[in-house]
C-alpha cells in the first residue's frame, strides 16, 4: 500500500483492423481501449476479387506491424455487407463488385495466415462494428438499448445494441435498415425495390439532389460532407440537405416505433446532416414516431474516428479479454 496504478503499456500488443468500403480500404493497428496506434493510407480502388483486396489490406497491416514492432493478437475485418453467421459470408456487397455470398471471413483468415500474423481472424458488417465501438468507447457509452444508423461512402446501414449486447439476429442479418422504404416514388434501389433509405439518404443521393456531378478526385462521402459544410448557404444545397434529413427522420421514426431505443447515434454523412440542422431532424422523428412524442429519444453524433476499424479490432481483442493468459501465452 498504496497500490500500484495500472495503465495500458504504450508499446503493448495490438489488433490488426481492416475496413473495406465502396471507395477503397484502410488498415490500422488498434490497442486496448479502442486506441488507434497506426494507420496505413487508404486505397481508392477495390478489386472485384475479394482475395486480392483482402490480401492488399492485410499486407498494409503487416507492414505497419513491421514498422512499429508490435505484437499482433488477431485481426478483424469490417465490410459493407450483411455477414451471415456462422459461415462468414458477405451476402449483399451491393456497393462492391464482389459476388454475393463471398466467404469473406475464410478469405481474410487465409490472407492473415499467409502474411505470418498471429491470432484468429474475424469479419462482420461495418455498421455493426461501428455500433460496438461507439457503445464501448464513444457516443453510446452507458446506453442499454442503442440504435446506430450510418451512411459511409455508399448506402445506409444500421445496428442495434440490446441490453448492452450487439444484436445481430439468428444468423447475423439483423437491422438491414437501408432497405426501409421512405419514398414510394423514389429512386430504384439495388435490392429491387425503390425509395429505400439506402438510395434516398446516402452521399450519392445528396450530390444528385443538389445537382452536383460526383467527381473522381475524392470519395463520395468527402464530397457530400464538404458540400454541406462549405456551401450550405446555397439554396439548392440547403434544399437537398433538408430533403435527406426528412427521409432519414422518417426512417428513424419507424425504427423508434419498433425498437424503442434509449439513444440513437448517427455516423458518416448522417452525422453531418444532424450537425447541419439538429432541430429539423429531431422534430421529424418526434412527429412521426409514437414514442418520440412521449419524451423523445436522444439523437447524437458518433464521436469516434474510424469507428468501424475500432469495432473490427474489438472482435480480435475479445478472446484476449475472455482469457488473457490463454490468448497471450
Amino acid at each position: 500500500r498504496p497500490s500500484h496504478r495500472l495503465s495500458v503499456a504504450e508499446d503493448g500488443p495490438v489488433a490488426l483492423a481492416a475496413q473495406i468500403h465502396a471507395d477503397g480500404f484502410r488498415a490500422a493497428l488498434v490497442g486496448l481501449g479502442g486506441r488507434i496506434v497506426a494507420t496505413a493510407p487508404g486505397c481508392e480502388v477495390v478489386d472485384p476479387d475479394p482475395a486480392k483486396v483482402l490480401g492488399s489490406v492485410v499486407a498494409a497491416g503487416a507492414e505497419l506491424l513491421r514498422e512499429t514492432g508490435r505484437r499482433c493478437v488477431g485481426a478483424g475485418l469490417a465490410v459493407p455487407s450483411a455477414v451471415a453467421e456462422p459461415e462468414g459470408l458477405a451476402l449483399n456487397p451491393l456497393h462492391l463488385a464482389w459476388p454475393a455470398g463471398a466467404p469473406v471471413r475464410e478469405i481474410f483468415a487465409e490472407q492473415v495466415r499467409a502474411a505470418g500474423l498471429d491470432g484468429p481472424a474475424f469479419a462482420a458488417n461495418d455498421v455493426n462494428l461501428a455500433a460496438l465501438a461507439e457503445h464501448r468507447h464513444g457516443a453510446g457509452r452507458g446506453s442499454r438499448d442503442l440504435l446506430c444508423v450510418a451512411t459511409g461512402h455508399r448506402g445506409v446501414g444500421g445496428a442495434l445494441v440490446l441490453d448492452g449486447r450487439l444484436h445481430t439476429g439468428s444468423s447475423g442479418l439483423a437491422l438491414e435498415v437501408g432497405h426501409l422504404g421512405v419514398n414510394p416514388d423514389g429512386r430504384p434501389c439495388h435490392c429491387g425495390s425503390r425509395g429505400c433509405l439506402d438510395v434516398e439518404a446516402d452521399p450519392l443521393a445528396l450530390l444528385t439532389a443538389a445537382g452536383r456531378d460526383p467527381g473522381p478526385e475524392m470519395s463520395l462521402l468527402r464530397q457530400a460532407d464538404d458540400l454541406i459544410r462549405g456551401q450550405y448557404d446555397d439554396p439548392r444545397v440547403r434544399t437537398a440537405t433538408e430533403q435527406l434529413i426528412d427521409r432519414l427522420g422518417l426512417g428513424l421514426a419507424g425504427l423508434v416505433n419498433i425498437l424503442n431505443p434509449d439513444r440513437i447515434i448517427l455516423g458518416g454523412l448522417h452525422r453531418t446532416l444532424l450537425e447541419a440542422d439538429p432541430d429539423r431532424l429531431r422534430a421529424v422523428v418526434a412527429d412521426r414516431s409514437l414514442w418520440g412524442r412521449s419524451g423523445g429519444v436522444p439523437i447524437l453524433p458518433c464521436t469516434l474516428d474510424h469507428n468501424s476499424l475500432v469495432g473490427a479490432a474489438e472482435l480480435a481483442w475479445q478472446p484476449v479479454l475472455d482469457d488473457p493468459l490463454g490468448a497471450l501465452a
Side-chain angles (χ1 to χ4, degrees):
R1 299 288 185 252
S3 299
H4 294 291
R5 296 180 64 87
L6 301 179
S7 61
V8 177
E10 290 295 324
D11 58 350
V14 293
L16 167 61
Q19 182 179 13
I20 311 297
H21 52 74
D23 287 347
F25 61 78
R26 182 177 292 273
L29 305 182
V30 184
L32 274 172
R35 182 172 52 93
I36 295 179
V37 173
T39 61
C43 175
E44 298 299 326
V45 178
V46 175
D47 195 278
D49 181 354
K52 289 184 179 180
V53 66
L54 294 180
S56 296
V57 75
V58 169
E63 181 61 27
L64 288 177
L65 288 166
R66 283 191 289 272
E67 291 173 356
T68 60
R70 298 298 188 96
R71 177 179 177 183
C72 182
V73 300
L77 171 68
V79 292
S81 167
V83 177
E85 299 292 351
E87 300 91 349
L89 309 179
L91 290 189
N92 61 339
L94 299 176
H95 304 293
L96 304 174
W98 292 359
V104 290
R105 181 179 300 147
E106 179 182 336
I107 296 171
F108 183 58
E110 290 173 353
Q111 297 295 339
V112 168
R113 288 193 296 270
L117 303 184
D118 295 329
F122 304 88
N125 171 261
D126 53 0
V127 181
N128 277 350
L129 295 179
L132 178 65
E134 293 285 346
H135 184 258
R136 291 184 176 181
H137 309 297
R141 290 186 70 175
S143 173
R144 176 178 170 178
D145 299 314
L146 174 70
L147 172 63
C148 175
V149 177
T151 177
H153 299 264
R154 291 291 301 276
V156 174
L160 181 66
V161 174
L162 278 181
D163 200 20
R165 296 175 63 87
L166 186 65
H167 175 74
T168 57
S170 61
S171 56
L173 308 180
L175 269 290
E176 279 292 299
V177 304
H179 301 289
L180 285 173
V182 294
N183 182 12
D185 300 318
R187 300 176 179 87
C189 183
H190 315 278
C191 71
S193 185
R194 63 187 311 120
C196 294
L197 204 58
D198 211 55
V199 293
E200 296 289 338
D202 79 339
L204 183 59
L206 177 81
L207 295 170
T208 302
R212 303 301 200 270
D213 292 325
E217 67 280 356
M218 64 178 69
S219 74
L220 293 174
L221 177 59
R222 175 74 179 276
Q223 292 178 62
D225 266 341
D226 288 351
L227 188 64
I228 295 175
R229 297 181 192 280
Q231 301 182 47
Y232 193 59
D233 290 338
D234 183 317
R236 193 164 185 182
V237 173
R238 182 183 291 269
T239 298
T241 302
E242 291 174 348
Q243 177 179 298
L244 258 72
I245 288 172
D246 291 347
R247 300 278 191 251
L248 174 62
L250 186 60
L252 292 177
L255 292 167
V256 167
N257 287 339
I258 296 169
L259 302 172
N260 188 213
D262 60 31
R263 194 179 308 175
I264 297 172
I265 57 173
L266 302 179
L269 180 64
H270 293 165
R271 176 172 61 179
T272 308
L273 294 175
L274 175 63
E275 293 167 350
D277 196 340
D279 292 338
R280 185 184 186 99
L281 179 60
R282 291 176 177 129
V284 173
V285 175
D287 289 345
R288 293 298 193 105
S289 62
L290 182 63
W291 312 125
R293 297 194 202 103
S294 64
V297 181
I299 304 176
L300 305 173
C302 290
T303 58
L304 299 178
D305 292 330
H306 308 302
N307 50 18
S308 292
L309 279 173
V310 173
E314 291 294 307
L315 295 182
W317 271 111
Q318 195 60 52
V320 180
L321 298 175
D322 291 340
D323 182 10
L325 291 179
L328 296 176

